[in-house]
Every structure is written in C-alpha cells, then in structure tokens.
Amino acid sequence: MEKPGIVVTGASGRMGQMLIRLLLDSDEARLVGALERPGHGWVGRDIGEAMGGRPAGVAVSDDPVPVIAAAQAVIDFTSPVATLAYAELTAQARAVHVIGTTGFDEEDLHQLTAAARHAPIIRAGNMSLGVNLLVGLTRKVAAALGEEWDIEVVEAHHRHKVDAPSGTALMLGEAAAEGRGATLGELRSPARDGITEARSTGSIGFAAIRGGDIVGEHDVIFAGQGERLVLRHVATDRAIFARGAIRAALWGQDKGPGEYDMHDVLGLN
C-alpha cells in the first residue's frame, strides 16, 4: 500500500521545516506538498534546496487548491486565518487536517466544527505524549482536590511566540475546570496587572513567560493552605511536536469525519 501523502503548511517556519525533515526520512508517510504564503521567497523552489539540503522533488507552492487535492493529510502549524482557509480545502478533499495552530476564538472554532462534518480534524494545542498525559493528570487532581486549592497554570516559551496563554496552557486550564465540573470560561481568573482584588475561590489563573529560545515549559500549581502540588512538563526538543503531528496524520487515515484530539490518537479517552 502506498504511503499516505502529507502536505506541510508554513513550510519555512521552525515547525514546518522540522516536519518536512521527518517526513523526508519517514518509512510510513511521504511529503507531497509544501505550502507558503504568496510572495514568499521560497515559492517555486525545491523545498530540500530551500532548506539548505539536497533536492527533495517537492516544490514550494502558494496555491493550496491543487496541492491539498492530491494529499491524504495536511499538517498545519500556521495562524488562525490561514488554518480556517486550509480547513475548507481539506474538507473538500476529504483529507485529514492535523491542526497545531493556536489562538482561535469561538467563531473560528465553529467554522472548524463545520469543516469537520466532511473530513477528520485532529486539533490539539500540543502534540506531545507527555503533555497529553499531563492534561489527564491535571483533570484527575483537580477533581480530587476541593475548590479551596487555587490553580495556576504557568507557561514559558521562546521570545517569538505571539499568543498568550499558550494553547497548551489553555488545554491544561480546561482540564482543571472539567475536573471541577465547570468550564474554563466560568472559572478563569482575569490577567493580573497593578492593584488587583483578592483571588476568587475556585478560580483558575494563568501566567506567561516569553524569552530566549525556550521550547515549552508548563507547570500546573495547586496551592492549598500549608502545601502545594506542582505538575510539570518541560520540552527540550521541538521534534516531539512534529512526531506527534505525523502520528496523528497517520492515525486519522481510516477515521470518519469529526473532531478529534491527541487523547483520541493516543488512546487516552
């Protein structure tokens, strides 16, 4: 059986290049397309040569329609606007859409839900095994401890990351809220700056650090009277996210339309 053909969006980005390198070396999948925005200097060039290596036989394109039409999966770490446009095309092509993009608002998510009626969408704020295990632990600990335990999610990323809190931090906050039988919207504490009021009982707060080349660090702090419990995950290699995304693209090949996440992929649900 021919290996599934995968398209990588945002080919020149750090995640894009990591995904392309892994796909070019993969025994389970093949790279069939690399997409960039119109006007990018890589458009029209062989992706291997553009990345400073040997020719890969795949030209970078700024026209997603024919590229996605020929693919079995699209792996997408770009921006909400670009991802929504790609979602329409993957739905038409009935291709698996693996989304690592973060920063969506409620309207964006409604559009993704509509696209998922036609093809599988696997979306996660973080594709690593360790983080998804941390999500499950956070849900269980929040359920076991009472609301008198304050919950704070602290995340750190490289200086170029533009959204905060990170998608992973929000995943962890949502898991904590679920553990308490509520939604994150009901329990989320507003950002703190200057003189603020005392913390509301049962609330879930966030703190974001941006600096240097930090790949990703996430702490979930449960702070009680006289004791604290800290759950932590530290990523030191961005390849963990790329490997998880490829695993998701392969897992989705025999799945019907719908919305999935990494817990589905990893069999944790």
Side-chain angles (χ1 to χ4, degrees):
M1 182 179 295
E2 190 175 34
K3 296 185 291 186
I6 297 179
V7 170
V8 174
T9 67
S12 70
R14 280 174 295 184
M15 277 303 302
Q17 293 190 51
M18 179 71 71
L19 285 161
I20 288 164
R21 290 190 184 96
L22 291 175
L23 286 169
L24 291 176
D25 291 336
S26 176
D27 293 327
E28 299 179 283
R30 57 196 173 93
L31 179 72
V32 296
L35 291 170
E36 261 301 343
R37 65 185 183 277
H40 193 281
W42 285 18
V43 173
R45 299 179 60 190
D46 182 278
I47 185 60
E49 293 178 335
M51 290 170 51
R54 296 176 298 176
V58 174
V60 180
S61 175
D62 60 1
D63 184 0
V65 175
V67 175
I68 292 176
Q72 283 73 57
V74 174
I75 301 180
D76 181 12
F77 286 79
T78 52
S79 67
V81 171
T83 294
L84 292 176
Y86 291 134
E88 291 186 20
L89 298 176
T90 55
Q92 293 171 17
R94 304 299 190 264
V96 178
H97 192 180
V98 178
I99 300 174
T101 304
T102 58
F104 296 106
D105 61 26
E106 285 300 316
E107 179 57 33
D108 296 335
L109 296 178
H110 288 317
Q111 292 186 50
L112 291 178
T113 296
R117 298 191 186 105
H118 306 282
I121 288 181
I122 304 167
R123 184 177 66 88
N126 193 298
M127 300 282 176
S128 84
L129 172 61
V131 160
N132 283 281
L133 290 173
L134 177 61
V135 169
L137 289 171
T138 297
R139 185 181 295 109
K140 290 186 176 182
V141 172
L145 299 176
E147 67 173 12
E148 67 273 13
W149 288 71
D150 297 319
I151 301 176
E152 192 78 8
V153 182
V154 181
E155 54 102 342
H157 284 87
H158 54 85
R159 66 192 308 272
H160 301 290
K161 187 171 180 62
V162 296
D163 59 312
S166 69
T168 302
L170 292 173
M171 284 172 57
L172 293 166
E174 289 164 358
E178 289 170 9
R180 287 187 165 172
T183 66
L184 181 57
E186 294 170 322
L187 300 183
R188 183 170 178 173
S189 175
R192 303 180 194 92
D193 184 30
I195 305 300
T196 63
E197 297 179 354
R199 183 177 190 135
S200 300
T201 300
S203 64
I204 299 171
F206 294 87
I209 298 167
R210 296 290 178 268
D213 62 353
I214 301 171
V215 174
E217 299 178 5
H218 293 85
D219 293 325
V220 184
I221 302 171
F222 295 85
Q225 295 299 313
E227 58 183 331
R228 281 177 296 171
L229 175 64
V230 180
L231 304 179
R232 181 165 222 228
H233 179 270
V234 177
T236 58
D237 184 353
R238 192 167 278 101
I240 64 173
F241 311 126
R243 285 193 290 267
I246 294 171
R247 180 171 177 175
L250 295 172
W251 176 87
Q253 290 304 302
D254 61 353
K255 303 302 182 292
E259 294 183 272
Y260 305 92
D261 59 23
M262 285 302 290
H263 281 216
D264 295 306
V265 174
L266 300 172
L268 298 176
N269 281 338

